């Protein structure tokens, strides 16, 4: 790929769609907010090469929610890859999200980059953990590659984000992930969702990026559950074949009334 023309991707996360398209999450009509996101992505269609969906695509794990997602994505006509979050049903995802341009592949190459998607979910738990099997597979994928710049993605952040209530549900074995990443310098970026807010930190020259949700936003640096008034959003990335990259977060104008009295999630 010509390094002058980067691979352009959108990371879209935490849509929390429901079987009932009228259902709300803490006052947020998640179907409508995702439709607003789709409209913005459609305007960017000519600039985008692929979509990366980083978990909690559903809010109830229903077949109907994934069928709705598949239908909403279809008009975009953009190659789409996904991974599960703690609210998802991986079996239903495998069944539904594998039609046309929506792929269930977890290791692929595009634009001179290697993409590896990891399942960090633990059944019936909110926190994340990478199993020994997944860690072994990750190490194998990185060892067998040809040192192309590599992007990893998972749902749970491998770092605490300075929010006491959220930090209890991050990836629980981050050091196991770091041990593998440290052995493979081709890893340039790690993307995640779950925290419903923008986040960026760097560790050993690897950048770790969290993206906002397409529905409710969590207030940064909050000790207790707290919602932010910021609009829904997603992340845009431009990946160059020489391993460099650019990124920005785009907010989607969408009006709604938050349930600020909510005390749990």
């Amino acid at each position: 790929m010509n390094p002058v023309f980067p691979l352009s991707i959108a990371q879209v996360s935490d849509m929390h769609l429901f079987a009932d398209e009228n259902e709300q999450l803490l006052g947020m009509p998640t179907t409508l907010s995702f439709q607003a996101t789709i409209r913005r992505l459609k305007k960017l269609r000519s600039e985008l090469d692929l979509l990366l969906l980083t978990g909690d695509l559903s809010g109830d794990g229903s077949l109907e929610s994934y069928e709705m997602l598949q239908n909403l994505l279809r008009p975009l006509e953009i190659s789409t890859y996904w991974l599960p979050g703690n609210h998802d049903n991986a079996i239903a995802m495998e069944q539904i999200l594998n039609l046309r341009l929506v792929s269930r592949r977890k290791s692929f190459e595009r634009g001179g980059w290697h993409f590896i998607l990891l399942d960090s979910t633990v059944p019936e738990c909110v926190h994340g953990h990478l199993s020994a099997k997944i860690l072994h597979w990750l190490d194998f994928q990185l060892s067998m590659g040809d040192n192309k710049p590599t992007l990893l993605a998972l749902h749970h952040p491998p770092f605490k984000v300075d929010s006491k209530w959220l930090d209890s549900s991050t990836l629980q074995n981050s050091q196991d992930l770091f041990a593998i990443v440290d052995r493979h310098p081709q890893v340039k970026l790690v993307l995640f969702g779950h925290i419903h807010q923008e986040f960026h930190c760097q560790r050993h020259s690897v950048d770790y990026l969290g993206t906002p949700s397409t529905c409710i936003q969590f207030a940064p640096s909050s000790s207790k559950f707290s919602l932010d008034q910021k609009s829904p959003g997603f992340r845009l990335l431009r990946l160059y074949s020489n391993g460099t990259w650019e990124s920005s977060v785009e907010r989607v104008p969408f009006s709604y009334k938050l349930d600020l009295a909510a005390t749990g999630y």
Side-chain angles (χ1 to χ4, degrees), residues 1 20 32 47 56 62 69 88 94 98 101 128-129 138 249:
M1 184 175 184
D20 179 357
L32 293 180
E47 305 172 27
D56 282 359
S62 64
L69 172 60
D88 283 312
E94 290 280 339
N98 191 38
L101 293 177
H129 186 275
L138 170 62
V249 165

Side-chain angles (χ1 to χ4, degrees), residues 3-19:
V4 176
F5 300 103
L7 184 75
S8 184
I9 74 175
Q11 180 198 2
V12 182
S13 200
D14 297 88
M15 295 89 90
H16 290 269
L17 300 175
F18 297 97

Side-chain angles (χ1 to χ4, degrees), residues 80-124:
T80 301
Y81 301 85
W82 56 265
L83 57 87
N86 51 286
H87 286 276
D88 283 312
N89 180 330
I91 295 175
M93 297 174 91
E94 290 280 339
Q95 179 179 341
I96 302 297
L97 299 178
N98 191 38
L99 296 174
R100 299 184 62 183
L101 293 177
V102 180
S103 173
R104 60 189 177 194
R105 291 177 61 194
K106 298 297 180 277
S107 176
F108 58 94
E109 294 184 2
R110 290 286 297 270
W113 280 67
H114 186 189
F115 293 78
I116 302 176
L117 314 186
L118 305 173
D119 182 353
S120 60
T121 62
V122 181
E124 307 300 325

Side-chain angles (χ1 to χ4, degrees), residues 74-233:
R74 186 172 293 118
L76 293 178
E77 297 185 339
I78 301 175
S79 296
T80 301
Y81 301 85
W82 56 265
L83 57 87
N86 51 286
H87 286 276
D88 283 312
N89 180 330
I91 295 175
M93 297 174 91
E94 290 280 339
Q95 179 179 341
I96 302 297
L97 299 178
N98 191 38
L99 296 174
R100 299 184 62 183
L101 293 177
V102 180
S103 173
R104 60 189 177 194
R105 291 177 61 194
K106 298 297 180 277
S107 176
F108 58 94
E109 294 184 2
R110 290 286 297 270
W113 280 67
H114 186 189
F115 293 78
I116 302 176
L117 314 186
L118 305 173
D119 182 353
S120 60
T121 62
V122 181
E124 307 300 325
C125 294
V126 178
H127 69 259
H129 186 275
L130 293 172
S131 69
K133 180 179 179 180
I134 288 175
L135 289 167
H136 177 76
W137 177 79
L138 170 62
D139 198 28
F140 175 78
Q141 290 291 320
L142 291 170
S143 298
M144 294 299 291
D146 54 4
N147 294 320
K148 282 185 172 68
T150 299
L151 182 154
L152 309 183
L154 68 165
H155 181 66
H156 295 85
F159 287 96
K160 293 184 177 181
V161 298
D162 194 31
S163 286
K164 186 176 180 181
W165 72 277
L166 262 179
D167 287 341
S168 64
S169 67
T170 57
L171 188 70
Q172 300 295 291
N173 61 332
S174 298
Q175 293 304 318
D176 294 334
L177 173 64
F178 296 151
I180 294 174
V181 171
D182 288 348
R183 293 199 296 271
H184 299 281
Q186 72 266 36
V187 178
K188 306 298 181 184
L189 278 171
V190 179
L191 305 183
F192 52 88
H194 190 63
I195 57 173
H196 290 230
Q197 61 189 267
E198 185 175 356
F199 180 85
H200 179 204
C201 73
Q202 189 177 69
R203 178 187 179 278
H204 294 183
S205 77
V206 179
D207 289 273
Y208 294 77
L209 303 175
T211 193
S213 165
T214 67
C215 60
I216 60 172
Q217 309 301 301
F218 297 152
S221 303
S222 53
S223 59
K224 298 180 180 180
F225 177 87
S226 182
L227 297 178
D228 200 336
Q229 294 280 9
K230 287 183 179 177
S231 300

